[in-house]
Each structure stands twice: as C-alpha cells, then as structure tokens.
Amino acid sequence: MTDVFSDLKARGLVAVSTDETALQTALDEESLTYYVGFDPTAPSLHMGNLVQLITASRLQQAGHNPLALVGGATGLIGDPRMSGERTLNPREIVEEWVGKIRAQVERFLDFTGPNAAQVVNNYDWTSEISAIDFLRDIGKHFPVNRMLAKESVSARLKNESGLSFTEFSYQVLQGNDYLELYRRYGCTLQTGGSDQWGNLTSGVDLIRRVEATSVHAMATPLITKADGTKFGKTESGTVWLDASLTSPYAFSQFWLNADDRDVMKYLKVFSFRPLEELEAIGAEFEAAPHTRLAQKVLAEDVTTLVHGREQYDQAIAAAAALFGGGELTSLDPATLGAATAELPRGEVPAASLGAGVPVADAFVTAGIVKSKGEARRAIKDGGAYVNNVKVTGEEQTLTADDVLDTAGGGVVLLRRGKKTLGAVDIVG
C-alpha cells in the first residue's frame, strides 16, 4: 500500500489530524514510528480498542513502525470520564491486567521483519521521575487554561462530583509519554480515538515546546450504531476481545446481528479486504439484503481476526446446530455452552431424570410456552423438538440420555417451531 492515509480516509478511519498535508507526505515518503496506547482499566480490551489495533496494523502493513504502549502508569490513574471519578484499582490488579492486555495486543501486530512492532510500558519511565522533576520539567509546559478547555475536564467541573487533581493530571502524563517515545524511538505519530484528541494534542504541543519540532497526531472517529445504542454493547454487556469474557460464539453473533444500515461502514473499518472487494459485496448485499451477505462476511473476517479460524468455524456450526442445521453433539462443550447461554431457560433437578421429566413440563420451565396445554398442542402439531429431534408423543419425557455436556454442566435444548428456542439446565 503506497497511500495508507488515503485508504484510512476512504474507510472512514480519520476523524481529525494535525496538519493533514504534512502527515500524508510523511506517511508517503518515509517509514514513521508511531504509537497507540491502551490503559489496563479492565482485564481485557474491548470493541473500541479493536479499532485502534486494526488501524495500527494497517499502518504497519504499509511499512511503518508500531509501538504499542500498555499504560502501567496511566492505568493507575485513569483518564477522566464524563460520568464521574474513577475508582483507583490496586497496583497488583493493574499489573496483572498489563500482562493480559500486552498478550492481546501482541496478536494483532507483526514482531518480525524490518518494521517489527514493539510493546512498551509507560511505567518504565514514569516511575523513574520524581514529583518535583515532573512538575518542573513537564508540568510547566502545560497551560492550565488549555487543560481546562478539554471536554471531559470542563464537563466534570460543572457537576457536583468535580474533578480530582489525580485525573486532571492524566493529560500531562500522556503528553509526557509521547515526548519519551519521541526521544527513545524517534516516534513522530500518535493515533487514538477522537475522544482522546485533547490528550493526543497535549503530547504534540509538549514536543513542540520542549524539542522545538513538529510531530503528528491522528484520531479515528467513535464508531456509532444507527439505532442510537452504544457500539460494542449488547444486552448482556460489553463485547470483550477475551474469549473467557465474550465467547467466540457471542462475538460472532454480535457481528451477524449488525444493522443493515451499519454493516458496510463496519466492513470498511474492521475488514482487511480491499475496498474494491467491499464495494462489490455491498452491491450484492444491496440487491439482496435478505441474504445478509455483508453481515456474514463481517462476522467471518472479524471473528477470525480476533479468535482464529477454528473458533469461527465452531461458532458458525453452533449457530446452525441450534436450529437443526447440524449435530449438537459435534460441538465442543464450551461452544455449546456459549451458544445456549443467552436462551430463555429454566432448571431441572438431575435426580428427576431417573423417572423422566415430561417434555411439556420442560417447555413451561424454559419459558417457551405459558402452559402445559400449550406445550401439548405444540407436540400434537409436530412443532416441538428436544435437541432438534421432533417430539412424537404428548407423554414423552426427558431422561439422562437427552443431556448435552457443556463447560458449565448439562443442558437440554428445546425448540418450538423453527425459531423459538429455550433450554433447561440440569442441576444437582
């Protein structure tokens, strides 16, 4: 790729930048060292971080040199939030999260070759500087009036909770990170989300004041959803990149359920396919949106990127199996558990399976029907299924042979008609 900046713009990945002409020229004419930072404020990165990881990867593929900063120091402080003061996490927890996030970051960048990536931790240099030196050498270059103008700062000052000096100092710490990376690695570009623009430019301004030179910053837009809900959130919470927090099945379902109005925008941001190929996919999708071609491509590309091909294939097999398109017994317990986790469900004591639990009772317990009479009618009409096998008699029961193994225990899948799913967990 010879014009990565134009490609980023065409994909909707440039919200704002410092001198655009100078940045594009620098990206076209030399191999820049650039950095993006991730604070360990949780045990995993999430969907918003994925935008930054992919942007960093695109820049590396274009021949530039990435520094992935894991904020062991800034993670102890936390960037000011609009909603109120952060709870400071214990040092040992932050240190543990640094290791987890470092491992996640390393999956998205190439650490070999002429423009090999490096992971750095801002605790390494921040911990070495005294408070007096920090205030004298760094703090004196930050005009308070400009710091107060930052959106998150001004918003917090207007509400009752106010803003502690600890969080107020965050932008000084991040500005110092850019200065240190400029001095240590010749870093001349920082990327991040547009909500971080004030922090990004604080480093640009600090380097201008201290080193009398110009460097660059580029911010990606915040990804939004057409229905007004927050991107990267589901009814069950945040979509994480850690498979133990958001299963590959749930992760793939998030993309498969993308709104038709959003899906092509997401493909440009999250897929590495060439724009020409995406345009062809978009035209085919527009002609036949019921096929959900764009959502399928999106789910395949992003799930494979984050979790690998095997996990993606398992997730797709699980989705098909839930509705009778495959063998439930062929799924590994973890995938089956993840696939049934969001279904309406109830509990059946394991001890009751010896005598047999009426299927009609199980349907009521799972919340698929409201009454035994309704369950019996579904059975009589041929629309009731246990583990995708049609129930043939109103007196049929569940037994131990019907229990499927999941990572969390046993489950029986129930279905009414083609689309109404539920489950009963076998407990005790």
Side-chain angles (χ1 to χ4, degrees):
M1 188 184 300
T2 57
D3 188 358
V4 65
F5 190 76
S6 293
D7 183 74
L8 292 172
K9 289 188 70 175
R11 291 177 181 274
L13 279 168
V14 180
V16 62
S17 72
T18 49
D19 190 327
E20 182 174 310
T21 301
L23 175 56
Q24 179 155 16
T25 299
L27 288 169
D28 288 346
E29 295 182 354
E30 56 187 296
S31 181
L32 298 185
T33 296
Y34 62 98
Y35 98 93
V36 58
F38 304 95
D39 276 345
T41 54
S44 171
L45 299 177
H46 52 71
M47 202 65 77
N49 302 127
L50 184 59
V51 179
Q52 303 311 319
L53 289 166
I54 287 176
T55 302
S57 180
R58 293 187 195 281
L59 286 165
Q60 184 181 31
Q61 291 179 23
H64 304 288
N65 312 301
L67 299 171
L69 184 147
V70 181
T74 44
L76 290 167
I77 302 301
D79 191 20
R81 297 180 302 180
M82 296 288 192
S83 57
E85 194 80 6
R86 290 180 182 271
T87 299
L88 298 182
N89 294 303
R91 289 177 179 270
E92 60 271 17
I93 294 296
V94 173
E95 186 175 348
E96 177 187 346
W97 290 350
V98 165
K100 290 184 176 182
I101 290 174
R102 180 187 182 111
Q104 287 184 324
V105 168
E106 289 175 345
R107 298 206 306 266
F108 292 87
L109 299 171
D110 187 355
F111 288 80
T112 61
N115 60 324
Q118 298 181 70
V119 176
V120 295
N121 185 342
N122 58 18
Y123 190 82
D124 293 343
W125 55 82
T126 307
S127 62
E128 296 174 350
I129 188 170
S130 71
I132 292 296
D133 289 341
F134 186 73
L135 292 172
R136 283 177 56 86
D137 298 339
I138 305 300
K140 68 179 181 180
H141 296 292
F142 282 78
V144 172
N145 60 325
R146 291 190 60 182
M147 295 176 69
L148 291 173
K150 184 182 174 186
E151 185 179 4
S152 61
V153 171
S154 60
R156 285 278 296 282
L157 292 176
K158 293 176 183 177
N159 65 35
E160 294 182 0
S161 65
L163 179 70
S164 72
F165 177 76
T166 298
E167 288 195 4
F168 184 59
S169 67
Y170 183 92
Q171 57 185 295
V172 184
L173 291 170
Q174 185 165 329
N176 185 54
D177 287 343
Y178 200 170
L179 176 61
E180 282 293 329
L181 295 177
Y182 171 80
R183 288 171 168 173
R184 294 176 182 227
Y185 301 97
C187 178
T188 56
L189 170 63
Q190 182 184 6
T191 63
S194 58
D195 59 336
Q196 290 285 308
W197 185 243
N199 292 333
L200 270 62
T201 54
S202 70
V204 172
D205 190 54
L206 177 62
I207 292 171
R208 179 183 62 80
R209 290 169 180 268
V210 175
E211 300 290 340
T213 192
S214 296
V215 293
H216 309 284
M218 185 190 79
T220 62
L222 296 182
I223 307 300
T224 57
K225 295 175 71 172
D227 63 6
T229 58
K230 189 172 182 179
F231 174 77
K233 294 279 188 179
T234 66
E235 291 183 5
S236 58
T238 300
V239 180
W240 301 99
L241 304 189
D242 188 324
S244 67
L245 298 176
T246 299
S247 70
Y249 174 83
F251 189 85
S252 67
Q253 288 295 306
F254 173 83
W255 299 106
L256 284 168
N257 291 325
D259 193 302
D260 287 354
R261 296 168 292 177
D262 294 322
V263 64
M264 291 310 303
K265 174 177 69 176
Y266 294 166
L267 271 171
K268 289 180 180 180
V269 170
F270 293 102
S271 174
F272 281 91
R273 298 183 190 228
L275 287 169
E276 295 78 6
E277 183 178 349
L278 295 181
E279 288 174 4
I281 290 170
E284 188 174 345
F285 171 65
E286 186 176 354
H290 63 279
T291 64
R292 301 189 67 76
L293 171 65
Q295 284 89 345
K296 293 174 183 177
V297 172
L298 180 64
E300 178 181 2
D301 286 4
V302 188
T303 308
T304 301
L305 173 68
V306 175
H307 295 295
R309 169 57 62 173
E310 182 178 354
Q311 289 296 327
Y312 167 74
D313 290 341
Q314 280 277 345
I316 295 304
L322 286 187
F323 295 96
E327 288 294 331
L328 290 166
T329 54
S330 69
L331 303 176
D332 66 76
T335 301
L336 180 60
T340 57
E342 302 299 321
L343 298 179
R345 62 205 312 111
E347 294 182 350
V348 169
S352 65
L353 294 176
V357 175
V359 169
D361 289 356
F363 268 65
V364 175
T365 299
I368 295 177
V369 296
K370 295 180 179 179
S371 66
K372 291 183 183 180
E374 188 179 352
R376 292 191 183 99
R377 286 193 296 274
I379 294 171
K380 185 177 180 180
D381 294 339
Y385 298 81
V386 172
N387 297 336
N388 290 330
V389 178
K390 183 180 290 187
V391 179
T392 57
E394 295 178 29
E395 303 307 317
Q396 186 170 324
T397 62
L398 302 184
T399 69
D401 291 338
D402 296 312
V403 180
L404 301 169
D405 185 29
T406 70
V411 68
V412 179
L413 178 69
L414 307 173
R415 175 161 56 91
R416 182 183 184 184
K418 293 182 178 181
K419 297 183 178 180
T420 306
L421 291 171
V424 289
D425 294 309
I426 310 304
V427 297

